[in-house]
């Protein structure tokens, strides 16, 4: 299997996205947990959108990415969300458990990011209650 290596131009373009933490080893994109949760919320609330459309809405140039990357990432995030809930994604430096167990609320110093994440989590919780 071949590995896709991003060029310096592509790395620069990818890292300009607010939802990207960094591109590691010129091939692995490290996504912000806020984007992961937002993608899950978009998949649940707008099932008519494709994974590629969700990534485009998140500001990604999908022409740079492998054709299956958006689908594979969102699929993986959905599986982990269904198994562990939001605690799998936040906080990044704490342990997580299967859904019956809960952790204390995540706090961050980045107010805008925190507000964004809290609103996404609120919508995900509302979706779960309405199922």
């Amino acid at each position: 299997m071949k590995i896709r290596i991003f060029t310096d131009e592509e790395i620069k373009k990818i890292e300009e996205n607010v939802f990207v933490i960094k591109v590691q080893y010129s091939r692995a994109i490290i996504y912000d947990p806020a984007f992961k949760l937002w993608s899950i919320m978009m998949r649940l609330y707008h099932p008519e959108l494709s994974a590629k459309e969700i990534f485009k809405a998140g500001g990604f140039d999908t022409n740079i990415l492998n054709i299956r990357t958006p689908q594979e990432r969102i699929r993986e995030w959905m599986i982990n969300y269904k198994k562990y809930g939001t605690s799998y994604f936040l906080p990044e430096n704490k342990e997580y458990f299967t859904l019956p167990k809960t952790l204390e609320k995540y706090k961050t110093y980045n107010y805008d990011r925190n507000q964004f994440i809290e609103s996404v989590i609120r919508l995900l919780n509302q979706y779960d209650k309405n199922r």
Side-chain angles (χ1 to χ4, degrees):
M1 177 187 212
K2 291 185 179 183
I3 295 175
R4 167 77 158 96
I5 304 294
F6 296 116
T7 64
D8 291 338
E9 256 181 45
E10 292 170 332
I11 291 172
K12 183 180 176 190
K13 191 169 186 176
I14 292 169
E15 286 182 340
E16 286 175 356
N17 188 309
V18 69
F19 291 125
V20 173
I21 295 173
K22 67 179 176 176
V23 176
Q24 202 171 36
Y25 312 119
S26 299
R27 68 179 185 270
I29 301 172
I30 309 299
Y31 301 94
D32 189 313
F35 177 69
K36 295 176 184 181
L37 289 170
W38 178 80
S39 297
I40 291 166
M41 181 200 64
M42 292 296 288
R43 171 60 77 210
L44 295 173
Y45 278 90
H46 300 285
E48 71 278 2
L49 293 177
S50 70
K52 190 174 183 178
E53 291 171 329
I54 292 172
F55 264 62
K56 279 185 182 179
F60 285 91
D61 181 356
T62 55
N63 296 324
I64 294 174
L65 304 174
N66 182 306
I67 195 165
R68 297 197 37 90
T69 296
Q71 180 183 359
E72 290 172 355
R73 295 300 165 264
I74 292 176
R75 180 181 170 275
E76 175 188 346
W77 299 335
M78 285 295 295
I79 289 169
N80 288 324
Y81 170 73
K82 287 177 182 177
K83 187 171 184 180
Y84 304 110
T86 56
S87 63
Y88 176 83
F89 302 96
L90 298 171
E92 294 94 351
N93 60 352
K94 299 273 184 171
E95 64 278 349
Y96 59 90
F97 304 96
T98 53
L99 278 179
K101 305 215 178 193
T102 57
L103 291 174
E104 62 189 52
K105 190 175 179 181
Y106 177 68
K107 294 185 183 352
T108 182
Y109 295 108
N110 185 336
Y111 181 77
D112 292 335
R113 181 175 180 267
N114 191 33
Q115 292 292 20
F116 177 76
I117 290 170
E118 285 180 5
S119 65
V120 169
I121 290 172
R122 227 181 352 264
L123 286 168
L124 289 172
N125 288 337
Q126 181 182 1
Y127 179 85
D128 288 341
K129 286 179 186 176
N130 292 334
R131 275 203 271 170

